[in-house]
Every structure is written in structure tokens, then in C-alpha cells.
Amino acid sequence: MTITQFKDSDMIPPVLSTGIGRVTLRTLVFIRWIAVGGQMAALLVAHFALGYALPMVPAIVVIGSSVVLNLLAQSPRGLRPTLRGRDVALYLAFDIIQLSCLLHLTGGLTNPFTMMLLAPLTVAATLLNWRYVAGLTFLALLGLTAMSAWRFPLPWTAESFPQDYVYGLWISMALSAVFLAIYVYHVSHEAQKISNALTASQAALDREQRLSTSGALAAAAAHELGSPLSTIAITVREMERDLPPGSGLREDIALLNSQVARCRDILATFSRQPQQLTVTDPGLFGRLPLSVLVQLAAEPHRAERIDFVIAPEAHCRGREPRISNRPEITHGLGNLLQNGFQFAHQKLQASLFWNDAIVRLIVSDDGPGFPVHVLSRMGEPYLSVQHGKSPDGGGHMGLGIFIAQVLLERTGANLSFGNNDSAQRHATIVIEWPRSAEIFEPIVFPMQASA
């Protein structure tokens, strides 16, 4: 089966860490309308119900600026389906500045609603890359610092909030802003990486399935076209035999014969390529000996400079297991073997072991091995897994092993990674299935003779 090679960059959705396509302007506008309603309600209650003397005109002007921005954003010219990271950052920067100004007019850090300044930072850390998050966090810290030094006091400020307490509030809010931005950013983007990598692995499998389906259609077409093509060939030969000597049609008949022969060659090519069959074909996607499947998965990635050896270990019990030739197995094994071919110096070995309980495949090379500091994180997406660069000089983002692990674990496999050398060289990958997994042919025990 042909294993289609994918570059990591071909499978990474463009939204990762950029904000592109992650949020719509409609969402930000809706959230801002809620904020405007809450700010206006709090201002009116504090001024009229509680009797606080607040600078109402400047405060209403500040709130009105959010209303004006929302109206402009909702205009046909301003509304766009999605926002880029820079646009989201600008909208959130406005929210931070607007809220800082409103808090400055209503008590500064002594206002119990100061914690609302963390809301835009939370949104930013969820959607944007670290540069925008750092910039917005710095802007929030500037707002907090300004409010701690200059503010319109609330009635209780002078007697209930000494300046040292205000400084303590500043430190608390500043640390909260920094911690929240860093924590939410890392959690959100790790989750996004996992989601994107899973999407990439599913896309790889879906593409393999589509290629296989196309191959099946080609094989079916070759089979169906065989009979009419034979009829055409017989008819052309009879026409050639019945033509009188010197007929001007002989050149046309010769051309027809050559084209019929060409069609036969094309159909014969289809029939000689087993990778052109699909899951629905019991001939290919039945079960193959494990060594044959490993050879099949390795073939597209073979390098002439590397000696590839497939050998069973000693003490194997029973006959070699037959394993289902599924796309997820061949693609997963192909990714791991491709990694071995890229980093091996001279030799790549696939050792097989089986008994009544387990089936084990060990892939080991004589290359530099996995870095010790990343062994505990093997299988994570976007992780560079081997020392240095591959001989082909290609850049990789660590999706290959992640995709392989996801696909093989779906079949019941358990993967482990290590180095098979005292100097932490020679990368080794152990893939182990329970013998009872559905991908293997059931073990047939000989019937005991009746007494």
C-alpha cells in the first residue's frame, strides 16, 4: 500500500496562535454591549440609589465611547466574519483603556469592580499569541499603576482605605493579571495544539482512505474495461485480415492496434499495483503476516544508504501472526519507520516477537537517539524528537510520532520510546499489541483427540 507522505506544515491549521478565525467581531460586540449595560447600571445605582457623588458626565462619556465603537463595528462596513489577531488585540486594548478610565473616575483600586480588568486579559490569553498577550498585560499594569496614584475617591476611601492598603491592592491585581495571562495562555494553546494535531492525524487518515478509494475505482475500471477492449482487438484484427492488399486503411488499422496495445499496458499497470485497492477489497485488507506488513509500510520511505532488516526474535511461539492491513496501521508504522530512515547512520532494524499473549515490534536505529530531556514527553505534538537535523535537512515539528501513536493506539497498541545504548544513542520504539486484539487473526488451537 502506498503511504502518502505529509509535511507537518501541510496539516497545521492556520489559526494556531494567531487568532485568525478564532473569534468573530460579533462576539466581541455582544460582550461589550453586556459590559456597557453593567457599567451603566452600576454607575446609576451608586449615584442615585446609594447617594455617592460621582463625576457622572465624564463617566457617561467613557461608557459612551464603548457604545460608539460598537455602533461603528456593527455597521456594514465594519462587520467582518472573523478577526485577525492584531484586530482582536486592538479591540481588547480599547476595553482595557476604557475600563481603566472608568475605574479611575469611580475610586480606582478601591472600587470593588477593579477585578473586571482581568476579563479582557483572559480573552486575550485564550485567543492571541504571546506577543499580543504580553502587550495587553503591560497595558493593564499601566492602568493599575495609574489608578493607584491618581483617582477620584469614593466616599469611604479617606477613612477606610489607607495608602498602604491601596498599594497592596495594586500588587495583588498586578500579580493576578500576570499570573492569569500566563496560565490561561499556556492552557489554551496547549489544548489548541492537541486539537490541531488530532485534526492533522485525522486528515492524514482520511486522505489515505480517499487515495485507496480512488485506487479501487481504477482497479474496478480495469476489470470492467478488459472485456470490451478484447472485443475491440479481435474486431480490429478481423478488419485488417479482410482488407485488400494496398488498402489505404491499413495505416488506420495499425494505429488502432497500437492504441489497443497501449490500453492493455495501462490496465496491466493497474492490475500490478496492489496499493490501488481499498478497504472493501478482501484481497488486500484481509490479514497479512506481520513482517510483510512492516515491509509494506517501510517501502515508500526506504533509503539506499540504510540497511533495513526485519527479523523475528528468538523464542517466538507459534506461527507468525497475521495482522489486518488497515490504513491506520500502515500509516502509523510508516511514520515511525520514516523517522528511523531519516536519522539512522547505516542500519535500521525491525525486530518481531509474538506468543499467545502479545505481539511486539521493536524499531531501532544506529543514529543519535532521542534526547534524554524529551523522552518523558514523547508522543506530544510539535516536539522535535531527535538530536540535530535529519540528513535530508528537512524541518519537522514533531507531528509524525504523535500521529503514529494516535493511529496505532486506536488499534490497541501501546508505544514506548527509549535509547538502546549506554551513551543514550540508538533510538528504540517498542510497539506492543495484545494478541487478542481484533486486528490479528484468531489463534486456532489444535483440537484434542477424544479419549
Side-chain angles (χ1 to χ4, degrees), residues 31 108 110 258 292 297 450:
I31 294 175
T110 63
S258 65
V292 175
S450 56

Side-chain angles (χ1 to χ4, degrees), residues 378-391:
M378 290 302 299
E380 294 183 10
Y382 309 101
L383 178 68
S384 297
V385 293
Q386 296 227 24
H387 292 293
K389 292 184 178 180
S390 59

Side-chain angles (χ1 to χ4, degrees), residues 52-88:
Y52 291 171
L54 300 175
M56 292 295 291
V57 174
I60 292 175
V61 170
V62 172
I63 297 175
S65 65
S66 289
V67 175
V68 172
L69 179 62
N70 265 7
L71 293 176
L72 292 175
Q74 286 183 306
S75 65
R77 185 177 180 180
L79 191 61
R80 287 183 291 176
T82 58
L83 294 177
R84 293 185 176 273
R86 183 189 63 179
D87 299 328
V88 176

Side-chain angles (χ1 to χ4, degrees), residues 295 298 302-310 337 340-341 344-350 364-366:
Q295 182 72 31
R302 292 288 294 270
E304 294 182 0
R305 62 182 180 84
I306 304 299
D307 183 21
F308 181 50
V309 178
I310 302 176
L337 292 168
F341 281 119
H345 291 157
Q346 295 179 335
K347 183 178 180 180
L348 178 66
Q349 180 168 330
S364 58
D365 61 50
D366 60 351

Side-chain angles (χ1 to χ4, degrees), residues 11-84:
M11 296 184 291
I12 301 173
V15 299
L16 183 59
S17 301
T18 64
I20 300 174
R22 299 275 301 279
V23 66
T24 63
L25 180 58
R26 190 183 305 276
T27 300
L28 292 181
V29 168
F30 176 74
I31 294 175
R32 192 176 292 110
W33 279 128
I34 296 177
V36 166
Q39 292 170 2
M40 184 60 71
L43 187 66
L44 295 177
V45 169
H47 185 73
F48 294 105
L50 301 180
Y52 291 171
L54 300 175
M56 292 295 291
V57 174
I60 292 175
V61 170
V62 172
I63 297 175
S65 65
S66 289
V67 175
V68 172
L69 179 62
N70 265 7
L71 293 176
L72 292 175
Q74 286 183 306
S75 65
R77 185 177 180 180
L79 191 61
R80 287 183 291 176
T82 58
L83 294 177
R84 293 185 176 273

Side-chain angles (χ1 to χ4, degrees), residues 213-422:
T213 302
S214 300
L217 294 175
H223 180 269
E224 294 296 329
L225 290 173
S227 295
L229 188 62
S230 298
T231 302
I232 293 173
I234 293 173
T235 303
V236 170
R237 284 197 298 269
E238 290 179 351
M239 292 173 62
E240 184 179 18
R241 183 186 58 196
D242 295 338
L243 284 176
S247 174
L249 295 178
R250 287 193 176 273
E251 292 184 2
D252 296 334
I253 295 297
L255 178 61
L256 286 175
N257 273 324
S258 65
Q259 295 303 308
V260 169
R262 182 183 177 189
C263 290
R264 282 179 171 175
D265 291 340
I266 294 174
L267 296 182
T269 300
F270 287 160
S271 64
R272 287 195 301 267
Q273 294 178 352
Q275 69 269 23
Q276 300 295 334
L277 303 176
T278 69
V279 180
T280 59
D281 189 293
L284 178 62
F285 288 91
R287 290 186 172 92
L288 297 175
L290 180 59
S291 59
V292 175
L293 187 66
V294 172
Q295 182 72 31
L296 195 64
E299 196 61 34
H301 313 293
R302 292 288 294 270
E304 294 182 0
R305 62 182 180 84
I306 304 299
D307 183 21
F308 181 50
V309 178
I310 302 176
E313 297 180 7
H315 312 299
C316 293
R317 293 181 54 186
R319 70 175 186 176
E320 182 177 354
R322 298 176 65 86
I323 184 173
S324 297
N325 191 0
R326 297 181 181 176
E328 58 263 43
I329 299 176
T330 51
H331 192 85
L333 293 179
N335 276 357
L336 298 179
L337 292 168
Q338 181 185 27
N339 189 74
F341 281 119
Q342 287 176 345
F343 290 94
H345 291 157
Q346 295 179 335
K347 183 178 180 180
L348 178 66
Q349 180 168 330
S351 302
L352 311 177
F353 174 79
W354 61 85
N355 57 25
D356 295 343
I358 63 169
V359 175
R360 184 168 59 233
L361 168 63
I362 301 177
V363 179
S364 58
D365 61 50
D366 60 351
F370 298 117
V372 179
H373 64 279
V374 301
L375 276 176
S376 61
R377 299 175 57 199
M378 290 302 299
E380 294 183 10
Y382 309 101
L383 178 68
S384 297
V385 293
Q386 296 227 24
H387 292 293
K389 292 184 178 180
S390 59
D392 61 6
H396 302 277
M397 298 185 68
L399 270 181
I401 287 182
F402 173 80
I403 291 174
Q405 181 165 338
V406 170
L407 295 178
L408 292 174
E409 285 181 348
R410 287 183 178 181
T411 68
N414 181 44
L415 279 71
S416 58
F417 306 88
N419 294 317
N420 192 26
D421 183 80
S422 59

